[in-house]
Amino acid sequence: MTNLIGSNIAQQGSESLGHETNGSYGNKRTYFEANLSYDRTFKKHNVNGLILYNQQSYDDGSYQPYRKQGIAGRASYVYDNKYVAEVNFGYNGSENFAPGKRFGLFPSFALGWRISDEPWMEWASKTMNKLKVRASYGKVGNDNIGGRRFAYITTVWQGQSGYGFGETAGYYKQGITEGDPGVSGLTWETAWKKDIGFELGLWNALDINLDFFEEDRSNIFMQRKTIPTQTGFMTDVWSNFGKVNNRGFDASLNFNKNFGEFFLSLRGTFTFARNTVIEFDEPESVRGTYRGQTGRPLNTQKGLVAIGLYTEDDFDSEGNLKFGLPVPEVGAATVRPGDIKYKDMDGNGYITENDVAFLGGTYDPEIVYGFGANMAYKGFDLGFMFQGNGNTYQIIGDNAYFIPGSGQGLRGNLYSNYRDCWTVENPSQDVFWPRLSEDPNQHNYRASSWWLVDRSMLRLKTLELGYSLPDKVLKKAYIKGLRFYVSGNNLFYLSNFRMWDPEVNSNTGLRYPPMRSFLFGLDITF
């Protein structure tokens, strides 16, 4: 069987607000596809195959249309509905790379075995209705690298630098300089993906799926950090350099069962994933130290290491730090009791930028899960869904007016826990806020482990209660169905972090949280 698909879609602005149809602000997409497929079953054998060619062009008025081209294929074989084998490949090209580097080959393989259908498993058939194992291994590619197009071509900047002429340089003339150097060997970012999965069905009611996965990404397009400035490049050089490993598992559960007039449906999902940077361009002097990114998850939180608050015992009679204590050179020339005390990581006697360390924890959660249920009994029904995450951290603050009072009442927020602070009368180490001051105190508000918070949470995402009138009542009114219901979204959440909603993407809380809503409804079917 063959199919040929061709489409040409043009989108333009409508005649409104001074714009007219066929204006120059539109875009145009052209897509062409042709495929040849084969599917045959004979006796216990099933053979399936597909070859597909496609090309596409998207023009939004920029200098060049976005264009891609490729061919893909699939061949699968199933024997006796128990043994499955499949081979896929893609040979794809992108205009984002230089000639000779534009096409990449991306193969994949998969195997499956439905063990529960074997004759020697018949003894368990009354309990176990499905037992299946599967495995896959394949390669994928990414051509949308760094948000840049044609990075293999050196760019030229005009008007961003110049030269002053004359004895006092009073006559200035703009010039042209080299921009981003072209990456001659630029190619696809690639990832090899592995997956082993298990499927288990029990009592024709319970389904359990479990997948273990691993991904090895390489050729990650990134800016090099160790190119000497003596080379004369205006900007950091880009290249396919980085490597990251990601591994974890997915689990899901579904249960559906009638117990007489009572129906119960349960569902749940759980995902854990952790990545590790294998190769990152950083100086050898920091690799493997508290300042090194290699060997840690991407986007690990960084900051100074807080070891408490200064006390009166840390100062002499003249208010100076006692001999032997590290001298802060970051954020404040003078510190006082109640200010945050930082660890001298490099042991040079001063608190500087070189003491900034990877503190652990990432903003993106390593754990994502959810669970819910639906139940019904004699016209009543109840459904709910919880969503949660874990192993997710954030450094809050890092803002001049984050600490209460630092804006002299004119700028910044006054948080409800502002009384939980260090004072002369309450010189406690177990407080949320360090010493408060009228002016911004960079020493206290800068990124550090003092402000590292755990954003793990569990939210009741939806809750709905309904009642459907019985059929014998509805027949008299010539109605097929009538249901009353009340539902709510984002009703509450549980979290150790209480300053603001932990799902708000903000380090100061100055954004609207997910809205709580209620709905009362009536469904009528005639």
Side-chain angles (χ1 to χ4, degrees), residues 270-466:
F270 186 93
T271 299
F272 172 82
R274 174 172 292 168
N275 65 71
T276 303
V277 175
I278 305 301
E279 186 173 72
F280 184 79
D281 192 25
E282 58 187 354
E284 288 295 331
S285 59
V286 305
R287 192 184 298 263
T289 70
Y290 63 89
R291 297 172 59 195
Q293 171 68 78
T294 305
R296 306 179 191 274
L298 285 168
N299 302 318
T300 299
Q301 300 292 326
K302 293 177 64 176
L304 294 171
V305 178
I307 55 176
L309 301 175
Y310 285 110
T311 67
E312 294 284 353
D313 294 335
D314 293 321
F315 299 86
D316 58 25
S317 58
E318 296 181 358
N320 299 317
L321 281 174
K322 290 182 178 179
F323 178 78
L325 293 177
V327 178
E329 287 191 344
V330 177
T334 303
V335 291
R336 301 177 183 176
D339 289 337
I340 301 175
K341 183 191 294 186
Y342 300 118
K343 184 177 181 179
D344 181 14
M345 298 294 294
D346 60 5
N348 69 348
Y350 296 91
I351 303 300
T352 67
E353 290 292 338
N354 289 333
D355 295 306
V356 173
F358 283 95
L359 304 175
T362 62
Y363 183 84
D364 298 321
E366 292 184 331
I367 296 174
V368 177
Y369 62 96
F371 59 90
N374 290 96
M375 54 195 76
Y377 180 72
K378 291 186 176 180
F380 290 95
D381 61 89
L382 174 67
F384 62 86
M385 172 59 70
F386 283 89
Q387 292 181 350
N389 56 51
N391 288 3
T392 168
Y393 297 86
Q394 182 181 16
I395 294 178
I396 62 174
D398 199 14
N399 180 285
Y401 305 106
F402 173 66
I403 299 178
S406 58
Q408 298 182 348
L410 303 177
R411 301 184 66 176
N413 267 2
L414 189 63
Y415 298 90
S416 59
N417 65 343
Y418 71 97
R419 295 183 182 275
D420 186 15
C421 65
W422 184 98
T423 64
V424 175
E425 296 76 20
N426 179 36
S428 172
Q429 296 283 325
D430 188 23
V431 292
F432 185 85
W433 302 101
R435 178 181 65 90
L436 304 185
S437 59
E438 290 185 350
D439 299 317
N441 185 341
Q442 185 181 356
H443 176 88
N444 283 341
Y445 72 70
R446 66 166 297 142
S448 74
S449 59
W450 183 271
W451 305 113
L452 184 65
V453 298
D454 184 352
R455 298 170 51 252
S456 301
M457 51 81 66
L458 175 64
R459 184 188 303 277
L460 178 57
K461 193 65 179 178
T462 61
L463 175 65
E464 181 169 309
L465 175 64

Side-chain angles (χ1 to χ4, degrees), residues 115-369:
I115 303 174
S116 55
D117 287 352
E118 295 288 355
W120 45 269
M121 286 293 294
E122 188 175 354
W123 62 272
S125 60
K126 293 184 179 180
T127 301
M128 184 187 304
N129 58 283
K130 180 176 67 173
L131 176 60
K132 181 180 178 180
V133 295
R134 47 185 165 75
S136 63
Y137 183 63
K139 183 182 182 182
V140 297
N142 173 38
D143 68 324
N144 185 20
I145 48 178
R148 295 181 57 195
R149 296 188 68 195
F150 314 122
Y152 63 92
I153 300 175
T154 298
T155 60
V156 175
W157 293 344
Q158 182 176 3
Q160 298 191 23
S161 64
Y163 189 81
F165 294 89
E167 293 183 0
T168 60
Y171 181 74
Y172 181 83
K173 189 68 175 178
Q174 289 184 341
I176 297 176
T177 60
E178 181 184 47
D180 291 316
V183 184
S184 57
L186 179 65
T187 186
W188 293 77
E189 291 184 352
T190 58
W192 284 98
K193 297 188 175 186
K194 294 172 279 187
D195 184 278
I196 298 177
F198 303 88
E199 299 178 18
L200 177 64
L202 300 173
W203 310 294
N204 288 309
L206 177 63
D207 287 313
I208 300 173
N209 292 338
L210 184 62
D211 283 90
F212 297 91
F213 59 84
E214 183 174 9
E215 178 186 74
D216 290 302
R217 293 181 58 199
S218 60
N219 291 331
I220 298 174
F221 193 58
M222 61 181 296
Q223 280 187 295
R224 305 295 298 270
K225 305 296 183 182
T226 58
I227 304 297
T229 56
Q230 291 86 345
T231 56
F233 293 115
M234 298 293 293
T235 62
D236 290 333
V237 177
W238 291 77
S239 68
N240 294 106
F241 186 81
K243 294 181 180 179
V244 175
N245 173 270
N246 183 51
R247 61 178 62 184
F249 66 89
D250 286 313
S252 66
L253 178 149
N254 285 279
F255 177 82
N256 296 279
K257 185 73 173 179
N258 281 304
F259 301 90
E261 294 186 80
F262 179 73
F263 170 76
L264 177 63
S265 174
L266 303 174
R267 59 196 179 278
T269 61
F270 186 93
T271 299
F272 172 82
R274 174 172 292 168
N275 65 71
T276 303
V277 175
I278 305 301
E279 186 173 72
F280 184 79
D281 192 25
E282 58 187 354
E284 288 295 331
S285 59
V286 305
R287 192 184 298 263
T289 70
Y290 63 89
R291 297 172 59 195
Q293 171 68 78
T294 305
R296 306 179 191 274
L298 285 168
N299 302 318
T300 299
Q301 300 292 326
K302 293 177 64 176
L304 294 171
V305 178
I307 55 176
L309 301 175
Y310 285 110
T311 67
E312 294 284 353
D313 294 335
D314 293 321
F315 299 86
D316 58 25
S317 58
E318 296 181 358
N320 299 317
L321 281 174
K322 290 182 178 179
F323 178 78
L325 293 177
V327 178
E329 287 191 344
V330 177
T334 303
V335 291
R336 301 177 183 176
D339 289 337
I340 301 175
K341 183 191 294 186
Y342 300 118
K343 184 177 181 179
D344 181 14
M345 298 294 294
D346 60 5
N348 69 348
Y350 296 91
I351 303 300
T352 67
E353 290 292 338
N354 289 333
D355 295 306
V356 173
F358 283 95
L359 304 175
T362 62
Y363 183 84
D364 298 321
E366 292 184 331
I367 296 174
V368 177
Y369 62 96

